[in-house]
């Protein structure tokens, strides 16, 4: 389930799990895309993305993917990349607020944001090497743009679970917070530095930076 609201030039996109975690299935990705499209012409300067229920996002449902044909798998990959490209192209500054598990395609999702903050309890993994798969959401291209080489290689190749400190030292995270309340407060403070800027200026700065990666 997705909730979108806009308040004082800040948009809030909240993922609420229908099961145990926030799974990026076809329905959810389409819902997020449709929600974000409504923001493009809005006065919002910032988009804050948060996942409830102990996870930011945990990627696709592997059991569902096992039943995909080659055509289905390609379509799902294209859909995921469509979402992440949209996040990079919209005029809003996108901030991922991570509290809990961020796994597989969820890491790719966060990598498409402009900034990433996480709580100390958050855990990260890209377990494809343990499952015999490679992410189809473009994470092998996006994550190296925001993370140091030795760190993203360890993330992908081992498939192990890493803490927020590892991701911060690797350059993936902009900041680490004590808990969910501290996360919100820190991002609130950071957002104040953005919303007093000209919206058009922010948009062109974002585009130039992204194209220069």
């Amino acid at each position: 389930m997705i909730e979108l609201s806009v308040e004082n030039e800040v948009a809030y996109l909240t993922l609420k799990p229908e099961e145990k975690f926030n799974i990026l299935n076809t329905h959810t990705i389409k819902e997020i895309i449709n929600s974000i499209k409504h923001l493009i012409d809005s006065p919002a300067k910032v988009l804050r993305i948060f996942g409830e229920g102990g996870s930011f996002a945990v990627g696709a449902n592997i059991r569902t993917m096992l039943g995909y044909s080659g055509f289905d798998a390609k379509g799902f990959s294209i859909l995921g990349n469509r979402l992440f490209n949209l996040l990079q192209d919209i005029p809003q500054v996108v901030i991922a607020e991570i509290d809990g598990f961020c796994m597989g395609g969820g890491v790719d999702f966060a990598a498409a944001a402009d900034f990433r903050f996480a709580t100390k309890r958050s855990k990260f993994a890209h377990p494809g090497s343990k499952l015999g798969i490679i992410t189809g959401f473009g994470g092998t291209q996006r994550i190296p743009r925001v993370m140091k080489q030795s760190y993203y290689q360890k993330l992908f190749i081992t498939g192990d679970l890493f803490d927020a400190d590892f991701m911060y030292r690797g350059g993936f995270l902009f900041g680490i917070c004590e808990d969910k309340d501290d996360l919100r407060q820190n991002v609130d403070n950071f957002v104040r530095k953005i919303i007093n800027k000209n919206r058009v200026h922010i948009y062109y700065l974002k585009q130039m930076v992204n194209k220069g990666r």
Side-chain angles (χ1 to χ4, degrees):
M1 180 179 174
I2 306 300
E3 286 188 359
L4 177 68
S5 62
V6 180
E7 182 180 347
N8 298 327
E9 298 182 309
V10 180
Y12 300 85
L13 181 71
T14 304
L15 284 70
K16 297 188 174 184
E18 296 179 4
E19 299 178 25
K20 187 175 181 180
F21 298 113
N22 289 307
I23 296 173
L24 294 177
N25 54 33
T26 299
H27 173 75
T28 299
I29 294 174
K30 287 182 177 179
E31 195 175 359
I32 297 172
I33 289 173
N34 290 334
S35 296
I36 292 174
K37 282 183 175 179
H38 290 299
L39 289 177
I40 293 175
D41 296 322
S42 78
K45 296 179 180 178
V46 176
L47 169 60
R48 298 173 60 168
I49 303 175
F50 182 80
E52 292 188 348
S55 71
F56 177 73
V58 296
N61 187 318
I62 300 301
R63 291 181 181 176
T64 301
M65 289 182 64
L66 289 174
Y68 283 173
S69 65
F71 181 80
D72 292 334
K74 182 178 180 180
F76 185 58
S77 174
I78 290 171
L79 182 65
N81 278 280
R82 183 179 161 204
L83 167 59
F84 303 151
N85 289 336
L86 180 62
L87 287 173
Q88 293 182 331
D89 290 341
I90 61 174
Q92 288 78 21
V93 174
V94 181
I95 302 174
E97 301 177 44
I98 303 162
D99 178 41
F101 289 102
C102 184
M103 315 277 282
V107 184
D108 301 343
F109 188 15
D114 299 300
F115 298 96
R116 290 156 293 279
F117 293 78
T119 57
K120 282 186 175 180
R121 74 166 187 156
S122 297
K123 301 295 182 183
F124 302 79
H126 227 304
S129 64
K130 293 184 176 181
L131 301 171
I133 60 174
I134 297 175
T135 175
F137 284 169
T140 50
Q141 285 74 51
R142 282 191 180 84
I143 292 171
R145 295 172 186 166
V146 298
M147 202 170 184
K148 298 173 185 176
Q149 182 175 353
S150 60
Y151 285 83
Y152 71 70
Q153 284 182 322
K154 191 172 184 179
L155 178 74
F156 281 119
I157 293 173
T158 67
D160 288 343
L161 193 67
F162 295 96
D163 61 16
D165 183 63
F166 175 88
M167 301 300 282
Y168 177 75
R169 286 185 284 112
F172 187 80
L173 295 175
F174 190 76
I176 302 177
C177 308
E178 287 292 332
D179 52 30
K180 184 167 68 173
D181 291 337
D182 188 42
L183 174 66
R184 291 295 175 90
Q185 185 61 54
N186 273 273
V187 177
D188 283 346
N189 293 337
F190 184 67
V191 166
R192 291 190 189 100
K193 298 179 180 181
I194 299 173
I195 59 174
N196 63 357
K197 307 294 192 304
N198 180 275
R199 186 177 184 275
V200 175
H201 190 204
I202 291 173
Y203 169 68
Y204 282 110
L205 275 175
K206 176 176 173 175
Q207 293 306 307
M208 286 188 286
V209 169
N210 284 337
K211 291 183 186 303
R213 288 180 179 178

